[in-house]
């Protein structure tokens, strides 16, 4: 189960082709122009595995981030390494520790290994409560940190992640999911990993790069950790279209800042509209936010779906909140009209 599957399960009803789809944290901009052209150029080579394209992708990323290419491995999105890391490092004896509310994929995989799932509420500022996470699980196998966190879109400071890494039980890992890091100005955790710590960082091209349907991501870690993760069934070839599109995207230094700015502008305008109309929300650093519906969020989500605007999901700990993805400005205007109607009815 991953984001689109969870979103579809929550959606429950068929939607029309012109529905506003702001329920699974996709990027409406899609791949950048250079990525589109690179993919089109790959079509004639589709009969070959072309592993040189994976090498190009890995070396481009490694060079951009000052990493040893041996520490970078590309995957079809970040769902596979996330799931496999949980399989590799949790068990009936080694628990899986996560924030509440948090992204669910790792918890679901913990059920496969029989690991205890330790859900630790976020702090008052919606950061991971690293001290409470450490205290709650001396038996931890994996500490999952999603930064910014899905579904709150809020950040955990680098110093808190450093504290967690320094104080975690031996042989556990800190799994840092940076799916949404580019939308924020927050520093990455790659520096801790470069220092040789027991840290795995996950990246994806599904969010800022607009390539959710193309499938590309990275696991970045010490080779001994990556080996353990990928040994759970992860080794495979990459789609050549994904490699070409991702490499082209990484070669454009303007792409991330430009898209971060676009997302932040639309998000800010949405927040201003919510403020003006007396609605509350959790301020977010990502391409989604939790909206306070003051009544069961599921009811509001279903009423919005009738207006052809798909929002969601709802997390059990916060039943009166619904997650909303930041779409295009037009998407958000349709969201506003529908939300006003639903809340006034
Ligand atoms: C926090 C988080 N991690 C990982 C993923 C996995 O995305 P993908 O497999 O498309 O890279 C998602 C998808 O929405 C996500 O929200």
């Amino acid at each position: 189960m991953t984001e689109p599957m969870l979103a579809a399960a929550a959606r429950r009803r068929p939607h029309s082709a012109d529905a506003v789809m702001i329920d699974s944290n996709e990027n409406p901009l899609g791949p950048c122009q250079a990525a589109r052209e690179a993919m089109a150029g790959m079509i004639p080579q589709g009969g070959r595995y072309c592993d040189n394209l994976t090498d190009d992708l890995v070396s481009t990323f490694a060079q951009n981030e000052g990493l040893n290419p041996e520490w970078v491995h590309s995957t079809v999105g970040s769902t596979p390494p996330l799931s496999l890391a949980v399989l590799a490092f949790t068990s009936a004896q080694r628990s899986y520790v996560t924030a509440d509310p948090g992204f669910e994929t790792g918890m679901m995989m913990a059920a496969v290994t029989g690991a205890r799932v330790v859900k630790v509420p976020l702090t008052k500022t919606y950061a991971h409560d690293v001290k409470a996470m450490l205290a709650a699980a001396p038996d931890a196998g994996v500490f999952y940190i999603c930064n910014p966190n899905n579904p709150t879109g809020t950040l955990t400071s680098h110093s808190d992640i450093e504290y967690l890494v320094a104080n975690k039980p031996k042989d556990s890992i800190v799994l840092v999911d940076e799916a949404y890091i580019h939308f924020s100005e927050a520093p990455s955790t790659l520096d801790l990993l470069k220092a040789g710590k027991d840290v795995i960082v996950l990246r994806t091209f599904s969010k800022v790069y607009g390539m959710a349907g193309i499938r590309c991501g990275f696991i970045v870690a010490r080779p001994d950790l990556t080996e353990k993760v990928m040994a759970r069934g992860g080794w495979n070839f990459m789609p050549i279209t994904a490699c070409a599109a991702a490499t082209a995207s990484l070669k454009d230094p303007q792409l991330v800042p430009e898209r971060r700015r676009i997302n932040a502008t639309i998000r800010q305008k949405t927040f201003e509209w919510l403020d003006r109309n007396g609605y509350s929300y959790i301020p977010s650093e990502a391409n989604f936010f939790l909206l306070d519906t003051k009544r069961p969020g599921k009811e509001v989500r279903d009423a919005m779906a009738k207006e052809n605007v798909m929002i969601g999901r709802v997390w059990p700990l916060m039943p009166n909140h619904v997650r909303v993805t930041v779409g295009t400005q037009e998407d958000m205007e349709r969201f506003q009209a529908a939300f006003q109607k639903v809340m006034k009815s």
Side-chain angles (χ1 to χ4, degrees), residues 4-317:
M5 298 174 186
L6 293 161
R11 203 177 288 146
R12 286 188 304 171
R13 60 200 304 278
H15 57 275
S16 65
D18 71 335
V20 178
M21 303 301 287
I22 46 174
D23 66 349
S24 47
N25 296 353
E26 294 161 333
N27 187 337
L29 301 178
C32 67
Q33 190 56 30
R36 292 172 194 216
E37 285 164 16
M39 281 190 280
M42 275 305 120
I43 292 169
Q45 293 189 62
R48 304 210 177 264
Y49 292 112
C50 300
D51 44 338
N52 58 308
L53 295 175
T54 302
D55 298 341
D56 289 350
L57 169 60
V58 164
S59 62
T60 305
F61 178 74
Q63 198 173 355
N64 284 0
E65 300 290 347
L67 284 156
N68 179 343
E70 309 265 300
W71 290 37
V72 179
H73 188 80
S74 63
T75 49
V76 283
S78 57
T79 299
L82 167 52
S83 301
L84 299 175
V86 179
L87 292 186
F89 292 99
T90 70
S91 66
Q93 291 73 42
R94 303 302 298 258
S95 62
Y96 175 77
V97 192
T98 183
D100 196 12
F103 185 53
E104 304 94 325
T105 297
M107 299 181 222
M108 291 171 180
M109 292 313 288
V112 176
T113 64
R116 184 167 74 97
V117 174
V118 184
K119 292 193 199 180
V120 179
L122 296 166
T123 65
K124 284 198 178 68
T125 58
Y126 301 100
H128 288 70
D129 191 338
V130 294
K131 288 196 174 149
M133 289 172 97
L134 285 165
D139 64 340
V142 172
F143 292 95
Y144 174 69
I145 304 284
C146 189
N147 203 28
N149 186 47
N150 183 2
T152 49
T154 46
L155 293 171
T156 299
S157 70
H158 191 276
S159 56
D160 277 354
I161 300 176
E162 229 174 309
Y163 183 89
L164 175 64
V165 172
N167 292 285
K168 69 178 186 57
K170 195 171 167 294
D171 296 333
S172 63
I173 58 149
V174 177
L175 180 61
V176 187
D177 187 336
E178 295 190 341
Y180 301 99
I181 192 93
H182 298 109
F183 289 112
S184 76
E185 303 281 349
S188 166
T189 309
L190 285 173
D191 63 324
L192 297 182
L193 168 163
K194 285 182 204 169
K197 308 287 184 197
D198 297 332
V199 171
I200 296 178
V201 171
L202 303 176
R203 289 282 181 90
T204 180
F205 285 84
S206 297
K207 306 302 172 184
V208 84
Y209 294 105
M211 286 174 38
I214 315 291
R215 314 302 298 139
C216 193
F218 290 120
I219 170 171
V220 192
R222 276 196 336 257
D224 62 298
L225 298 179
T226 300
E227 185 68 41
K228 283 191 183 134
V229 172
M230 299 306 278
R232 262 64 193 178
W235 301 117
N236 206 338
F237 281 93
M238 289 291 292
I240 62 172
T241 40
C243 288
T247 306
S249 303
L250 289 177
K251 285 187 172 159
D252 178 355
Q254 295 311 318
L255 185 61
V256 170
E258 163 85 353
R259 289 184 164 201
R260 181 190 298 136
R261 189 185 55 72
I262 292 170
N263 176 69
T265 304
I266 299 172
R267 188 180 64 208
Q268 185 54 29
K269 278 190 182 172
T270 308
F271 287 169
E272 284 165 12
W273 180 87
L274 290 167
D275 289 338
R276 276 199 306 280
N277 288 278
Y279 299 121
S280 28
Y281 54 88
I282 298 178
S284 151
E285 305 280 337
N287 66 333
F288 55 86
F289 59 93
L290 275 183
L291 177 61
D292 185 353
T293 48
K294 312 258 189 254
R295 55 173 142 133
K298 287 183 181 164
E299 279 175 31
V300 174
R301 179 202 63 194
D302 291 347
M304 291 290 283
K306 289 197 181 114
E307 300 300 319
N308 229 5
V309 177
M310 304 295 161
I311 61 170
R313 304 187 292 281
V314 175
W315 269 254
L317 189 71

